[in-house]
């Protein structure tokens, strides 16, 4: 599943809603769902900060086995570089999902988030 | 609170007894070293005997879309602060001193939750139901519930739950009304403590020097939650349990704090 959004933060609600619905389909517990939503929001915002206003942000979601979910957020950015792993944003992303990676292909920067349903954490 | 009618004489006498006990406890706290068992026993008892005050004050805020239990929890935090800060020499009653602190904490909770933004009543109620059901289902199964489970428990569609969850966040409305300024709930000792461990945690972050003042501008609780989630990798559910607020509240504070950091941080991430 893939959505293309104008590069403006006001449209991120669409990305969040889509990813939340996908997590719900995959039976994610609520805290994981909120984490993935926050991660997608963060990844999108990160790319937006380096994208021209008339650009496009693309969000692709691919559910895998056992509740695995890969979300790739990409945009043609000004620098055409992957985010620094020493940035705060990257630290945040790494904490929110199981795996984060980034790549560049002809000026198009992609951040890929891999999430899973997570362990059944004992709450009480 | 003036008591005039004859019917409340008994209340007055009870008040006298309670007040006398309160005095003893306050004197104990003033006399004993802070790390002594006698001090912490007196402190605990002072908190316990004033819990009805918190209950009473929390009830003033009912019907505003927040679960009563959450209000009592944050009000109790206010009460604890009041106990720790009260100076008997100032000559005011403890309850007089504690009331604004407790109410302040409850109001801050509403501010944290972004209720300054008008939210349709239907959504307010839905959030409240979702929050309660989440707590109940978590209690039962030992993990955070799924959207399907919540939908079934509340007899709502999954779509409605998702809508409720999105509305519970403050994605689009942040930083507009966020004061950004420091908060009054950071007593110096805990602040130093937090900052010390923050230094270690932020070790690998390139822009930590510009991050630090932003973290310092968050409320103590937001900072604590940020550190727990992003640097100690605790789950939202674990943080909720540790901090004593609902998981939805953790989620919201996290989103809010992150947005504040993001808007303030001018790191060159690329």
């Amino acid at each position: 599943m893939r959505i293309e959004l104008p590069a403006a933060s006001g449209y991120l609600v669409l990305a969040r809603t889509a990813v939340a619905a996908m997590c719900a389909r995959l039976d994610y517990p609520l805290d994981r769902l909120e984490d993935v939503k926050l991660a997608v929001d963060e990844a999108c915002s990160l790319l937006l900060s380096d994208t021209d206003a008339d650009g496009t942000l693309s969000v692709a979601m691919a559910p895998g086995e056992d509740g695995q979910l890969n979300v790739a957020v990409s945009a043609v950015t000004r620098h055409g570089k992957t985010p620094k792993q020493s940035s705060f944003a990257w630290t945040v992303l790494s904490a929110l999902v199981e795996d984060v990676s980034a790549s560049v292909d002809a000026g198009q920067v992609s951040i890929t988030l891999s999430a899973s349903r997570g362990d059944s954490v004992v709450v009480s | 609170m003036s008591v005039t009618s004859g019917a409340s004489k008994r209340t007055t006498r009870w008040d006298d007894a309670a007040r006398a006990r309160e005095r003893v406890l306050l004197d104990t706290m003033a006399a004993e070293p802070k790390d002594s068992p006698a001090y912490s026993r007196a402190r605990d008892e002072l908190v316990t005997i004033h819990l009805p005050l918190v209950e009473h004050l929390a009830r003033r805020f009912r019907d505003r879309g927040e679960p009563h239990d959450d209000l009592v929890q944050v009000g109790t935090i206010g009460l604890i602060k009041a106990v720790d800060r009260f100076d008997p020499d100032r000559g005011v009653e403890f309850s007089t001193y504690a009331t604004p602190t407790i109410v302040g904490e409850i109001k801050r909770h509403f501010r944290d939750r972004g209720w300054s933004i008008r939210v349709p009543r239907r959504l307010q109620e839905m959030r409240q139901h979702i929050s309660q059901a989440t707590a109940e289902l978590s209690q039962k199964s030992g993990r955070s519930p799924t959207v399907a489970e919540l939908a079934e428990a509340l007899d709502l569609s999954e779509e409605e739950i998702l809508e409720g969850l999105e509305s519970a966040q403050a994605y689009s409305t942040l930083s507009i009304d966020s004061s950004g300024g420091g908060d009054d709930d950071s007593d110096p000792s805990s602040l130093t403590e937090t900052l010390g461990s923050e230094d270690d945690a932020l070790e690998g972050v390139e822009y930590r020097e510009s991050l630090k003042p932003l973290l310092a501008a968050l409320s103590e609780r937001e900072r604590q939650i940020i550190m727990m989630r992003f640097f100690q990798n605790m789950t939202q559910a674990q943080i909720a349990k540790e901090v004593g607020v609902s998981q939805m509240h953790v989620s919201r504070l996290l989103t809010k704090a992150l947005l504040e950091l993001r808007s303030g941080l001018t790191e060159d991430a690329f």
Side-chain angles (χ1 to χ4, degrees):
Chain A
M1 195 202 119
R2 184 184 195 89
I3 44 176
E4 306 264 330
L5 306 167
S9 61
Y11 290 95
L12 294 190
V13 61
L14 293 166
R16 287 195 303 268
T17 310
V19 79
M22 184 64 90
C23 289
R25 283 286 101 241
L26 297 172
D27 269 335
Y28 273 40
L30 212 55
D31 58 344
R32 292 299 295 147
L33 177 148
E34 294 289 0
D35 278 347
V36 179
K37 220 167 122 178
L38 196 53
V40 168
D41 195 64
E42 184 68 27
C44 288
S45 303
L46 182 57
L47 286 185
L48 279 185
S49 71
D50 195 39
T51 306
D52 289 326
D54 59 354
T56 304
L57 195 66
S58 148
V59 182
M61 278 175 260
E65 280 177 17
D66 280 338
Q68 183 76 25
L69 177 63
N70 288 329
V71 185
V73 180
S74 33
V76 175
T77 64
R78 286 191 286 269
H79 288 86
K81 285 198 287 190
T82 56
K84 288 181 200 159
Q85 304 215 350
S86 58
S87 64
F88 176 63
W90 195 268
T91 308
V92 165
L93 290 175
S94 316
L96 288 172
V97 292
E98 271 72 15
D99 194 54
V100 202
S101 58
S103 60
V104 194
D105 183 21
Q108 168 113 346
V109 180
S110 300
I111 301 176
T112 305
L113 311 167
S114 308
S116 76
R117 233 176 252 131
D119 302 324
S120 302
V121 177
V122 175
V123 176
S124 52
Chain B
M1 268 184 281
S2 64
V3 184
T4 45
S5 75
S8 46
K9 259 200 182 126
R10 209 171 40 168
T11 320
T12 312
R13 257 204 312 277
W14 185 86
D15 274 355
D16 285 344
R19 205 166 289 148
R21 181 68 191 150
E22 183 184 293
R23 169 65 51 188
V24 171
L25 294 169
L26 287 167
D27 288 346
T28 309
M29 281 183 70
E32 300 290 336
K34 287 201 173 187
D35 52 1
S36 68
Y39 178 92
S40 57
R41 265 200 309 273
R43 183 177 181 260
D44 288 350
E45 193 182 333
L46 261 178
V47 170
T48 309
I49 60 178
H50 289 100
L51 284 178
L53 176 63
V54 176
E55 278 281 340
H56 170 77
L57 294 172
R59 266 199 298 276
R60 279 209 223 152
F61 292 85
R62 69 178 161 216
D63 302 329
R64 296 221 199 157
E66 280 295 285
H68 179 69
D69 288 353
D70 280 7
L71 297 183
V72 171
Q73 275 171 348
V74 296
T76 306
I77 294 171
L79 171 62
I80 294 170
K81 283 181 194 166
V83 167
D84 287 341
R85 289 176 191 168
F86 183 65
D87 177 4
D89 295 339
R90 276 191 217 160
V92 283
E93 290 290 334
F94 176 75
S95 59
T96 312
Y97 176 81
T99 299
T101 316
I102 296 167
V103 169
E105 198 67 26
I106 294 174
K107 283 189 175 163
R108 207 165 63 80
H109 174 75
F110 280 97
R111 211 169 66 220
D112 279 353
R113 301 282 281 115
W115 289 122
S116 45
I117 308 145
R118 215 189 67 79
V119 174
R121 189 165 189 85
R122 180 183 68 88
L123 281 178
Q124 285 188 28
E125 283 168 359
M126 191 153 70
R127 285 180 188 184
Q128 195 180 340
H129 291 150
I130 294 174
S131 186
Q132 269 162 9
T134 303
E136 282 164 23
L137 292 169
S138 302
Q139 196 79 42
K140 256 187 238 163
S141 68
R143 61 161 176 80
S144 203
T146 65
V147 171
E149 287 164 348
L150 282 169
E152 200 194 314
L154 293 170
D155 201 18
L156 290 168
S157 69
E158 292 190 18
E159 229 175 302
E160 284 171 303
I161 302 288
L162 287 169
E163 185 191 11
L165 290 177
E166 174 70 18
S167 84
Q169 299 297 351
Y171 283 103
S172 53
T173 35
L174 294 177
S175 52
I176 294 168
D177 67 332
S178 63
S179 61
D183 216 87
D184 63 340
D185 67 340
S186 36
D187 73 90
S189 61
S190 77
L191 186 62
T192 338
E193 231 167 78
T194 328
L195 288 180
S197 58
E198 256 165 37
D199 268 350
D200 298 341
L202 296 176
E203 186 66 47
V205 181
E206 188 174 340
Y207 287 84
R208 60 184 172 279
E209 291 308 325
S210 50
L211 193 59
K212 273 191 221 162
L214 294 170
L215 282 169
L218 296 174
S219 76
E220 174 76 24
R221 206 175 317 158
E222 285 169 354
R223 187 165 54 238
Q224 199 185 0
I225 290 175
I226 286 272
M227 296 311 288
M228 285 172 158
R229 183 65 194 86
F230 296 131
F231 296 100
Q232 296 161 24
N233 278 322
M234 291 171 70
T235 68
Q236 291 191 16
Q238 287 167 333
I239 297 171
K241 201 187 158 215
E242 178 84 23
V243 179
V245 296
S246 66
Q247 185 230 303
M248 270 177 86
H249 191 195
V250 170
S251 176
R252 188 166 192 293
L253 285 178
L254 211 51
T255 308
K256 175 173 174 284
L258 199 54
L259 268 152
E260 276 174 32
L261 292 179
R262 197 191 288 159
S263 61
L265 191 64
T266 49
E267 71 172 353
D268 181 9
F270 292 92

